[in-house]
Amino acid sequence: MKKGLILEGGAMRGLFSCGVCDAMMTEGIDFDGCIGVSAGAAFGCNYKSKQIGRALQYNTKYCNDKRFCSFSSLIKTGDMFGAEFCYETIPFELDIFDTQTFTENPMEFYTVATDALTGKAYYHKCYDGLGDDLLHIRASASMPLVSRPVLIGATPYLDGGIADSIPLSYFESIGYEKNVVILTQPKGYIKEKNKMLPIIRIALRKYPRLVDAMARRHKIYNETVECIERREAAGAVYVIRPEEALPVGRIEHDPEKLRAVHSIGHRIATEKMEEIKDFLKE
C-alpha cells in the first residue's frame, strides 16, 4: 500500500506545512510519494531532499530582501517573488538545495500547476530538482496578478491551486492509498469568491479558460474540503490542519511571524506523532 503526503499551498501559510514536515522528517517518517501545490511544491521538495529546516531558514533570512519578494521586484520583473533570486541564486548559491539526495531518494515528488490555456491542472513528476523540475515548481507557485505565467515548452502555467488546490483525488488515482493531507486553513474555513475577479478578467483576458477556472475555484475548493472531511471521518485519510487561522499574511516580511507559524505546525505534528505513525502502519 503506497503512502502519500499531500501539501496544500497558501503562500507563507506554507510555513505551517514546513513545521509539520520537519517534525515528521525528524521522526524518520518516510512516504512513497509527495505532491505539493504552490507553496506546498516550493517548500515540499525539501522532504525529498531530506533537508530539515531549510525552508524556514531561507524564508526568514531573505524575507526582507527586495530580490526575494517586493513590489519593486514586481515592477521590474513582473514577479513579486523574484524568479532568478528564488529559483537560482538561493538554491544554487546561498542555501544549497541538495539535488543529489533529491535524485537518489526513491520517494516520488509531484507538482501541480494550472495550464493557462485550458484552465486545467497539470501534474508533473520531478526527477532531479533541476531544469524542467524547477520550472514546474516555480509555475506551481506563481500566483496570478503578481507573477508572470511560466512558459514550459509552448504552454504558459500559473499557480496549481487554481485548478487543484488539494490533489487527493489525483494521488489516489495513481495508486496512493494511504495519504496524509496537510491543510493550511483551520476546520470550518470556507473559501469565498475571489474579490479580484473584475481585475483578473482584464489582466488575464488572454486566458479566458484560466479566468473561468479562477471564477469557480472557491466552489471546487469547498467541495474538495467537504469530501476530505468525510474521508477523514471514515479513517480513509489523515488530516493535519491548524487549530485556527494562522497569524501570517500571504506575503510576509516579519521573520518572527514566519517562525511562529512554523512552530505551530511543528507542535501540532509532534502532538499527533503517534497517531500519524499508527495511521501509516495500518
Side-chain angles (χ1 to χ4, degrees), residues 124-196:
H124 172 77
K125 182 178 178 181
C126 297
Y127 290 94
D128 57 12
L130 300 166
D132 276 0
D133 288 352
L134 274 181
L135 281 176
H136 280 282
I137 291 172
R138 178 184 154 203
S140 183
S142 292
M143 298 182 291
L145 299 183
V146 295
S147 306
R148 294 169 293 169
V150 177
L151 198 64
I152 304 176
T155 305
Y157 294 93
L158 278 168
D159 195 324
I162 297 169
D164 193 356
S165 296
I166 313 166
L168 174 61
S169 293
Y170 173 76
F171 232 31
E172 290 179 335
S173 76
I174 61 172
Y176 285 87
E177 299 172 282
K178 180 72 71 172
N179 294 299
V180 172
V181 179
I182 303 178
L183 304 179
T184 59
Q185 295 284 13
K187 195 164 188 176
Y189 170 78
I190 302 295
K191 183 175 285 295
E192 302 291 340
K193 186 175 181 179
N194 195 325
K195 295 179 181 178
M196 299 293 287

Side-chain angles (χ1 to χ4, degrees), residues 40-53:
F43 301 159
C45 58
N46 294 291
Y47 211 117
K48 183 170 168 61
S49 65
K50 299 184 177 182
Q51 291 177 277
I52 299 171

Side-chain angles (χ1 to χ4, degrees), residues 105-117:
N105 185 351
M107 183 184 85
E108 296 180 330
F109 185 75
Y110 292 80
T111 64
V112 187
T114 301
D115 183 326
L117 301 179

Side-chain angles (χ1 to χ4, degrees), residues 32 42 46 48 54 69 82 84 89 94 105 114 118 147-148 164 182 207 211 219 251:
D32 298 300
N46 294 291
K48 183 170 168 61
R54 177 175 177 267
C69 176
E84 181 178 350
T89 305
L94 301 177
N105 185 351
T114 301
T118 66
S147 306
R148 294 169 293 169
D164 193 356
I182 303 178
Y207 308 114
V211 173
K219 295 180 180 178
I251 296 169

